[in-house]
Amino acid sequence: MKIGIPKGFRDFSPAVMAKRNFIFDTIKESFKRYGYEQIETPTMENRETLTGKYGEEGDRLIFSVLNSGDYLNKADADAIQLKDSVKVISSISEKALRYDLTVPFARYVVQHQNEIVFPFKRFQIQPVWRADRPQRGRYREFYQCDADVIGSDSLINEVELIQIFDEVLTKLGLSDFSIKINNRKILSGIAEVIGRPEKIIDITVAIDKLEKIGIEKVKEELATKGLTKNEIDLIQPLFELKGEKNQVLNHLKDYLKASEIGLSGIEELQYIFDLLDVVSLNKAKVELDVTLARGLNYYTGAIFEVVSNEVQMGSICGGGRYADLTGIFGLKDMSGVGISFGADRIFDVMDELNLFPKQVIESSQVLFINFGVKESTFVLPILQKMRALDIRAEIYPDTAKMKKQLKYADQKQIPYVVLVGEQEMESGELTLKNMESGDQINVTVDQLIKKFSK
Amino acid sequence: MKIGIPKGFRDFSPAVMAKRNFIFDTIKESFKRYGYEQIETPTMENRETLTGKYGEEGDRLIFSVLNSGDYLNKADADAIQLKDSVKVISSISEKALRYDLTVPFARYVVQHQNEIVFPFKRFQIQPVWRADRPQRGRYREFYQCDADVIGSDSLINEVELIQIFDEVLTKLGLSDFSIKINNRKILSGIAEVIGRPEKIIDITVAIDKLEKIGIEKVKEELATKGLTKNEIDLIQPLFELKGEKNQVLNHLKDYLKASEIGLSGIEELQYIFDLLDVVSLNKAKVELDVTLARGLNYYTGAIFEVVSNEVQMGSICGGGRYADLTGIFGLKDMSGVGISFGADRIFDVMDELNLFPKQVIESSQVLFINFGVKESTFVLPILQKMRALDIRAEIYPDTAKMKKQLKYADQKQIPYVVLVGEQEMESGELTLKNMESGDQINVTVDQLIKKFSK
């Protein structure tokens, strides 16, 4: 049997887990400080809850769980005959794995609407699965970290979510990153102003690719979607609309003066920027980016994207407002806004910039060398005292060679070892060795405990 | 479309999540204090990693993931023709969901043996999935919380794992629970002493049912397995072997005097009990239970089980030593010992005994009432200051009716609300309302912040 795991999946070693936990904990604590509460939804949802929510391509990437027992009994015999894999699925698989956290969240809200206190501020940190082709930085199992508020129109939510981006990434040590903001209403306004409001989706999809494929290719795509040269020329100036945000807003106000929805998008942005001036952010730069489109088509208001300016990585966070997320499950008129942290990409950025503090490694603070039965029996009550004071401490369980025990401490990055032999037991003075410097000093048990107490 | 989740699966609301996190965090912190380090393995393993490890019944309960793409293309056509569901599986499903944490851990150790520092003390807290028939207290998705040390023969590990049981459950507030201990070598010794060493598994399986079915039924089962009345009579006294542990040990020493393996089991138990006398436990009662057998057949040494003496719930924790866990994946002679906390059962025990502290609810410490744009703009910088000091604080995002906002605070169990209207903005004195007592006082921003700072 070959020993391994499926492609696109990962084992996480203690060292990597410590770093990942540092990211997750930082995000979690921030969410909680803003009044967001955690929920969890099951790994498996009914197939029909997930299918049809992510487009055709998305449907193909959903992992299906085979029915248990005699599943062939209910299998669609005709479809099997025709070898129609897609058609057979629903007859042999009732359940599928969570593809993102958004759809299960919408399902949760509708299902529990009578117990939920609205506006519902929830966060959720769980893995999702996609049967995507694995490649560098793209996994078939990865965590999403989402915060959403649903049942509130207030733009204060947008402002606070931007504050959360800033707070979390600053706490993680990033010092140069930009939060790009736009509003879907502005994109709608543009479609209106050029006289092609029905082309809003084509325009959004094309503009979304700007960073990847460049202006010329975007213009080509717009042309193939049926926009005239004249209409494309009208959009063109927006691609280059960069600069100080009040200037950009004034430009836009003029450009969109004939579009009611466009102007309301500007008004929303203006309000958000005004409040952001009141709460000064830490390290985040806020940018108004008219070409920010975000792929997902359920966004209807503000949209966000966060990028590192130090590492080429694509967006490390995203989000936006949606007017009707729960409509797909029958609960109408629930406006909401949410954000998502891309933990894997943030991990890669931090690793590349060497931002993980040394203390994230949560191995023991001290290791007791094991010299034998008598000595270890002497040590156990000391360990007990230390642990009661929340000190992480361990004894090498076996009576192995000193060299082996020291190597263990070294490899586990345990900074101190304590030696308790015959002599130490007699005198009551233990030997404390600093693993980095190699220095040794004598300490009493009380001194030892004091040294490691917080 | 009906809105719901598959049977045997659960949504966790914020209130339940807070309680669950309290349990998980307590376990995690304790594991870390004893030098155990966290790993995670993927949700999906290659099918062949899991099959054949849990017995025939276990194999049936493993959830299979359908291959993506045109899976029927490689399907076993003959088996499909015969409607042989079991046989078809391996041709349409390469991956399966984690059934427990032990087998993936063994696979992890073998796969990463060259990077791992032995003895390897790892813990793992992740969900597992079983296609079991759902019933009260039995779910198809549930968390396991395991700590194991592998690559060490030392009984100090057993002692420390018992200390972890005691520490965690005491910290969770349980005040009356028993850790039952036995040793598989004693069971082997019994089989030897009655002259039927080859019947060790039948004897273990039968004795394992003692609590459930009673002495008479166990004796019947032993008879059907081919033990003579005389042999059963020889075992019988052990069923009633209760009492002070040194007394029991002395009895056993006499009973097993002809069995080398039996005596070595006694010696191991004696050593563990001696060390447990050196480190006094908190609330745990330690019991030697000769009839404790544990179902799993990979145990070879000490075995543990923890029960609450206040709530009828079966075992809430378990564990034991295994001589050869990684042998199935080709790495021999790796002795280890591990324990597992049954988080769901512990949750039920704590809920029934009302042991969850009020502070586990991590909702905001204070809610600011939203009186309008001017007032909320005044409040945002105050919120920012509070959050920078790690205070959980929020503002009701919308300008809703006062009654609605107070109801929100009440339902989210937020203990204080702050009112900032025209008058408060002018005077700089905010109104702080205690939601429980209804009392209101005036405070400055500094006083407010001071009140909630840690």
Side-chain angles (χ1 to χ4, degrees), chain A residues 37-65:
Chain A
E37 296 185 304
Q38 189 171 18
I39 68 162
E40 279 187 9
T41 61
T43 292
M44 298 184 205
E45 295 276 349
N46 293 324
R47 284 189 64 70
E48 62 202 26
T49 300
L50 302 185
T51 49
K53 310 299 186 302
Y54 306 105
E56 227 174 283
E57 171 67 2
D59 272 1
R60 255 200 309 276
L61 301 184
I62 293 173
F63 276 113
S64 295
V65 178

Side-chain angles (χ1 to χ4, degrees), chain B residues 67 71 74-77 80 87-94:
Chain B
N67 292 343
Y71 61 92
K74 286 188 191 165
D76 182 336
I80 287 186
K87 198 160 173 222
V88 171
I89 291 184
S90 60
S91 69
I92 61 172
S93 159
E94 289 172 0

Side-chain angles (χ1 to χ4, degrees), chain A residues 11 43 70 85 107 141 152, chain B residues 11 43 70 85 107 141 398:
Chain A
D11 281 326
T43 292
D70 190 11
S85 287
R107 190 269 309 148
E141 172 175 47
S152 168
Chain B
D11 281 327
T43 292
D70 190 12
S85 288
R107 191 269 309 148
E141 172 175 47
D398 305 271

